[in-house]
Structure formats: structure tokens, C-alpha cells
Amino acid sequence: MSDVIRKTSAVRVRFAPSPTGYLHVGGARTALFNWLFARRQGGTMILRVEDTDAERNKPELVQGILDGLQWLGVNWDEGPFYQSQRTELYRAAAKKCLANGAAFLCYCPAEKYTGGDHAEPAQDEEPKAGGPRRVTRCSCRDGRPSTPGGKPAIRFKVPLGGTTKFRDAVFGEREFSNEEIEDFVLLRSGKNAWRGPPFEHSQTGAAVPRAGCGTSCFCACAADSRGGQVSPFETSRRNGCKHVPQRRFLAGGVPEFSCATGLVSWR
């Protein structure tokens, strides 16, 4: 792909668990793949804790994850870094997205986009598992708030029409119709809003209230997009197609990665 980022320095991979539960088999597998690849290539293993869900995170879960990794013999070269300590980084990234029209303020009730997903199954006689999705776009993305006056969330404005493509290091070129990708949430509108003054929306001149905590997907992309950082990875290809447009906007391109193995590398 033309926008694949390649780097000549040593391989850098990361494992980024969420402390909303203990380390499970799938997470351990991902950590092991990354650790083994880093050690084989003489690269760097980074541990980053995705503790952005303030309502469900628990200190004992963080410690349980660290203890689990150490029991497995998986050590790390940098970290652990905590996403909850980087709120200004996400705020700046969200402001950039709003200013350039890549995101919009959404005043819809939070339950309407729980998990950043508001999609309806295809209207066939019977919805087919894994079949086409029909995403409902709210009027907020066109500057017509559905329920103005509340605390807004910030959502990514997925382009209408066309497709989102990325190269999977194992399966090759992957492609998703943009009509199947919801306008996923970047910053939640929840009660856990960050403190501080609002920032100005450069397009409207309006003072934008501070949104709530960032979603793990957005925070991962914002952190990964910094100079010298590693690329994003999700075990789910559905989440992979959310990482790609964010990385293209924030970093100007996407690295080669695999949704099948958990390997994330600069090459």
C-alpha cells in the first residue's frame, strides 16, 4: 500500500491490556507473540495499560495482569505506561480531528452508540451472521444536534461511500465498505469528564465542553501516532478498520500489521 509506514530502526512492538478483567488466554497469546517477535528481532517490547475506562478499572486487575505476565516469563523493555496519565495527548488529538473536519460533536444519548456502535442488520428475510451491516448516521455529523444542550461525545466522521483498506501481514490486503463502519466514538460524553476549561471549535467558534474519557481505540491510536511509537493492533479486524482511518489522519499512514497473530512491527 502506498500509505504503509516503514521504518529502518529496530522493531518496536507493544502489548496493551485493559484492566477491566484479569489476563486471559487470548491476551497472554498476544503478549507472547509480541514478546517472542521482539526478542527474535532484537527489538523493543513495550507494555502499555489501557486504563481509560474509569468506571470498570480496578487497581487489583492491573496488578493481576502484571503478575500474570511475569509468571509467563514475559518481560518488557519500556513501561508500564498508563493511558489515564495522558489525557492532554488525547484532548489535543481530538481537537485536531474536530478542527480538520475528521470528527464531530454528537449530542445523542450515550445508549444510542454504546461501544461506539449503532448499526442495524441487513433487511433480508433472515439476517446472516457476519453479513452486511447498515449503519445509522445521526444528524449531529451534519451540524444538526439531535438533542442539543447536553454533554457531547466526539465521534469520528467516517467517509461516506468508498472503502477502508489495509494490508494484513498474514492475510494480505483487507477491505471494508465504509457503509459498514459506524461513526465510532473518540471521547465519551460520560460523567467522567476531564477537568479544565473548554476548547474552541475552530470551525464554529463555539466553546466545546470537555468530553469524557477517551475510548481505548482512540487513545491507542493517539499514543501510537507519536513519533517513534509503535503501530496500532487489534485482534479484531473490525477494530482494525477503525484504527486505520485514525492513524492515516493522525500520523499520515499506517504500518504493516496482522490481526491474526498479534504481531505489530515497524519494518
Side-chain angles (χ1 to χ4, degrees):
M1 292 177 62
S2 60
D3 63 345
V4 169
I5 299 176
R6 298 185 180 274
K7 202 174 179 71
T8 57
S9 61
V11 166
R12 290 170 62 82
V13 298
R14 56 110 163 123
F15 177 55
S18 174
T20 55
Y22 289 102
L23 183 68
H24 52 76
V25 173
R29 182 208 65 169
T30 300
L32 282 168
F33 269 120
N34 280 280
W35 180 79
L36 287 168
F37 187 71
R39 295 297 174 258
R40 179 70 176 85
Q41 299 296 323
T44 301
M45 173 73 170
I46 301 168
L47 178 62
R48 192 176 69 214
V49 180
E50 302 287 337
D51 57 341
T52 60
D53 191 335
E55 295 182 7
R56 295 195 297 158
N57 293 333
K58 296 180 180 179
E60 60 267 28
L61 295 177
V62 176
Q63 190 57 50
I65 291 172
L66 300 182
D67 291 344
L69 291 173
Q70 292 173 341
W71 180 82
L72 286 170
V74 174
N75 58 349
W76 49 91
D77 305 303
E78 296 180 15
F81 302 111
Y82 295 88
Q83 290 286 55
S84 61
Q85 299 174 4
R86 294 170 164 177
T87 55
E88 288 307 314
L89 171 65
Y90 319 138
R91 183 170 180 259
K95 183 177 180 180
K96 178 180 178 181
C97 291
L98 281 172
N100 289 278
F104 64 95
L105 299 177
C106 180
Y107 292 86
C108 295
E111 58 269 19
K112 185 175 180 180
Y113 54 78
T114 300
D117 189 345
H118 183 54
E120 300 173 351
Q123 299 301 310
D124 298 325
E125 296 114 67
E126 287 186 23
K128 300 178 178 63
R133 293 153 31 108
R134 293 182 181 175
V135 174
T136 300
R137 311 286 181 189
C138 71
S139 61
C140 299
R141 68 173 278 149
D142 299 320
R144 296 180 287 110
S146 56
T147 54
K151 292 181 179 178
I154 298 178
R155 302 177 73 177
F156 194 86
K157 186 182 289 187
V158 175
L160 299 179
T163 61
T164 291
K165 301 178 182 180
F166 62 91
R167 185 180 187 282
D168 188 296
V170 173
F171 293 104
E173 299 296 329
R174 311 298 295 182
E175 184 173 359
F176 288 85
S177 168
N178 288 340
E179 298 305 317
E180 299 178 23
I181 306 173
E182 70 276 2
D183 293 323
F184 47 87
V185 177
L186 305 181
L187 301 185
R188 302 181 183 94
S189 61
K191 59 185 178 181
N192 295 311
W194 300 332
R195 297 178 181 178
F199 57 86
E200 182 178 289
H201 189 336
S202 63
Q203 290 185 332
T204 65
V208 177
R210 287 224 173 186
C213 299
T215 61
S216 59
C217 181
F218 176 61
C219 293
C221 288
D224 289 338
S225 296
R226 299 190 307 165
Q229 272 287 20
V230 296
S231 58
F233 164 74
E234 288 293 334
T235 53
S236 163
R237 284 173 294 183
R238 175 65 56 187
N239 282 333
C241 71
K242 295 178 184 178
H243 274 265
V244 168
Q246 292 180 81
R247 273 303 299 261
R248 283 178 178 154
F249 179 78
L250 294 172
V254 294
E256 183 176 16
F257 64 98
S258 173
C259 292
T261 63
L263 290 179
V264 183
S265 66
W266 287 113
R267 294 175 181 246

